[in-house]
Amino acid sequence: MVKQNYLSEENLASGVKNYLAGDYRAAIVDLGKAIEINANIAETYFYLGSAYLQLGHYNAAKFNLNKAIEINPNYSDAYCNRGVLKENSGETNEAIADYDKAIEINPNHAKAYHNRGTTKFELGDFEAALADFDNAVKTDPDFADAYSNRAITKTKLGDYKGTLDDYDKVIQIKQDDAEAYYGRGFAKIKLGDFEAAIADLDRAIEIKPSYADAYLYRGIARYALGDYKEAVDDYDKCLKIHPSDITARSYRSDAQAKLDEEEAAAEKPKLKITIRPYSERTLSDNYRVQF
């Protein structure tokens, strides 16, 4: 009996190691062996169910996560991962109920707050999602995905300065996060800081050269600064990646028209201009670009 328990624990340890390394198939083999020896360990079923979940085998994942909860009704991680399973299966309300249960058992479960927040975001309940992301980062101050999703939520709510703060935090944790630089660049465009936006979008493209949306919004920023040729180049790069992007095609047309106007104006002979006295001048409306 002692030897059997040892072998079960050995297979469980090997299964967990393979799971954490991302080798889910090897984990399944090890964890299956562990269950053959001892079928009463909740942790074994939890990792086995989670491995099946990662591979998209939802029926097997559901069976094993249910078994983990049956053995240990206070297994907060099992409720959390079963919530992911239910969310992926389109059972939104049931997913939220599992996240609720995970948080009830463990009020400091950052992933459960985060996952519930993403579910509420998808339902369009942005204020509730924001509250969950707040709790996620409060519980785990280094939770980069929670900061990132909170930034996206703040963007939806029009809080662009708050968006910048969250993306600053993401970049502090993950220096090569292309999405964070893109998101921060987008927020800077909304705030009218076009040059700073271009710097962020440059970095996003440096990290991810196929980032079509980064080219699109860098083109928008360049257009706003009057750099029509560079804007056209960016829209072309976006269209090369996504030829069917109607927005990029429309913006490219506008930028090309501006560029053509500039070139035509440059070819006209220079006229002598008489400057009227200041008192005779009238003010014109400022030209504003809307996105």
Side-chain angles (χ1 to χ4, degrees), residues 100-285:
D100 289 345
K101 187 64 177 179
I103 292 166
E104 178 187 330
I105 296 167
N106 179 7
N108 294 317
H109 203 304
K111 287 184 179 179
Y113 282 117
H114 172 264
N115 293 350
R116 191 173 69 179
T118 60
T119 305
K120 289 179 178 178
F121 180 94
E122 293 300 327
L123 291 172
D125 193 351
F126 302 128
E127 294 288 355
L130 186 63
D132 274 337
F133 295 137
D134 285 344
N135 280 318
V137 298
K138 181 180 179 181
T139 305
D140 181 359
D142 293 322
F143 199 162
D145 286 348
Y147 285 110
S148 183
N149 285 333
R150 189 170 71 173
I152 293 169
T153 306
K154 288 178 179 179
T155 298
K156 280 285 187 180
L157 293 170
D159 179 11
Y160 301 117
K161 290 184 178 179
T163 297
L164 294 183
D165 291 339
D166 277 341
Y167 280 129
D168 285 346
K169 188 66 178 179
V170 176
I171 291 167
Q172 181 182 337
I173 299 168
K174 297 167 64 178
Q175 289 80 16
D176 293 329
D177 191 319
E179 283 71 24
Y181 283 103
Y182 164 77
R184 194 170 70 175
F186 176 88
K188 288 176 179 178
I189 287 175
K190 288 292 187 178
L191 291 169
D193 192 355
F194 301 115
E195 291 184 356
I198 289 171
D200 274 339
L201 295 166
D202 285 345
R203 181 63 178 141
I205 291 166
E206 180 184 351
I207 297 167
K208 186 179 176 182
S210 61
Y211 206 153
D213 283 347
Y215 287 111
L216 172 63
Y217 280 93
R218 191 173 69 178
I220 289 171
R222 285 174 165 169
Y223 181 97
L225 292 172
D227 296 333
Y228 304 122
K229 184 177 186 304
E230 297 295 333
V232 169
D233 288 343
D234 273 338
Y235 297 140
D236 283 341
K237 288 171 182 174
C238 175
L239 289 165
K240 185 176 181 180
I241 299 166
H242 286 162
S244 61
D245 192 319
I246 297 174
T247 301
R249 196 167 298 281
S250 175
Y251 285 179
R252 186 197 184 285
S253 178
D254 290 344
Q256 185 63 56
K258 287 289 186 182
L259 185 59
D260 291 344
E261 287 178 11
E262 281 189 344
E263 291 175 350
E267 292 175 358
K268 289 182 179 179
K270 292 184 178 180
L271 301 175
K272 183 177 180 181
I273 299 175
T274 302
I275 301 177
R276 289 178 294 162
Y278 186 85
S279 59
E280 297 178 18
R281 298 182 191 178
T282 57
L283 297 177
S284 61
D285 290 335

Side-chain angles (χ1 to χ4, degrees), residues 80-94:
C80 185
N81 280 10
R82 194 174 70 174
V84 174
L85 167 64
K86 289 179 177 178
E87 187 174 354
N88 291 349
S89 301
E91 302 173 51
T92 306
N93 292 330
E94 293 82 355

